[in-house]
């Protein structure tokens, strides 16, 4: 089987993409990303540097997956879900200076095999997590 990458997708040559994976319109996959086999990366998805995505994962349109996130095999991520990696996100420090890379602690996130994440039906704020196989 072959890897399918839409012409408008931006995929780093330093990313590893598994066989039979499809990456659709305007998706961005950064360096050191590992994507398994038979995955679907939907329109407008952003996959940050160093993210690991297992086999048979479906990520729907406009999802953001920031570094520090691992999606195990068979995970489903519904449209517009955003994985953050900072427990206390702020633009500035208490002294008013702009936060830099060393002003925060990376929070790791691991979504286990077969989980499904969807935005809530009301305003899109929060997540509904469905566990199990």
């Amino acid at each position: 089987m072959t890897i399918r990458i839409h012409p408008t997708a931006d995929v780093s040559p330093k990313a590893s993409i598994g066989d039979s994976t499809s990456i659709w319109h305007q998706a961005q996959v950064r360096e050191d990303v590992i994507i398994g086999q038979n995955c679907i990366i939907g329109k407008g998805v952003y996959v940050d540097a160093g993210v690991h995505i297992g086999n048979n994962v479906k990520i729907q349109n406009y999802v953001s997956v920031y570094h520090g996130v691992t999606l195990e095999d068979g995970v489903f991520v519904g449209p517009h879900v955003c994985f953050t990696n900072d427990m206390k996100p702020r633009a500035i420090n208490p002294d008013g200076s702009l936060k830099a890379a060393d002003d925060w602690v990376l929070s790791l996130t691991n979504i286990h095999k077969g989980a499904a994440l969807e935005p809530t039906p009301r305003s899109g704020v929060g997540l509904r997590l469905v566990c199990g196989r």
Side-chain angles (χ1 to χ4, degrees), residues 54-128:
N55 298 317
N56 303 307
V57 172
K58 183 175 184 180
I59 303 176
Q60 292 198 322
N61 298 352
Y62 300 105
V63 170
S64 295
V65 187
Y66 289 98
H67 71 281
V69 174
T70 298
L71 304 177
E72 294 183 0
D73 294 347
V75 168
F76 170 85
V77 183
H80 299 278
V81 168
C82 181
F83 293 95
T84 60
N85 56 10
D86 187 351
M87 293 295 286
K88 298 178 183 176
R90 299 289 184 270
I92 59 173
N93 293 306
D95 66 2
S97 63
L98 187 64
K99 276 195 164 198
D102 58 349
D103 290 328
W104 65 286
V105 176
L106 176 66
S107 298
L108 301 177
T109 300
N110 187 31
I111 306 300
H112 293 281
K113 182 177 180 178
L117 291 96
E118 304 173 16
T120 58
R122 280 178 257 148
S123 64
V125 176
L127 295 173
R128 189 180 104 205

Side-chain angles (χ1 to χ4, degrees), residues 37-48:
Q37 298 179 0
N38 303 310
C39 294
I40 299 172
I41 308 299
K43 180 179 180 179
V45 170
Y46 174 74
V47 183
D48 200 5

Side-chain angles (χ1 to χ4, degrees), residues 23-57:
I23 300 175
W24 291 106
H25 309 74
Q26 300 157 341
Q28 182 180 6
V29 178
R30 295 202 43 211
E31 64 279 358
D32 303 319
V33 167
I34 299 172
I35 299 176
Q37 298 179 0
N38 303 310
C39 294
I40 299 172
I41 308 299
K43 180 179 180 179
V45 170
Y46 174 74
V47 183
D48 200 5
V51 167
H52 291 198
I53 298 171
N55 298 317
N56 303 307
V57 172

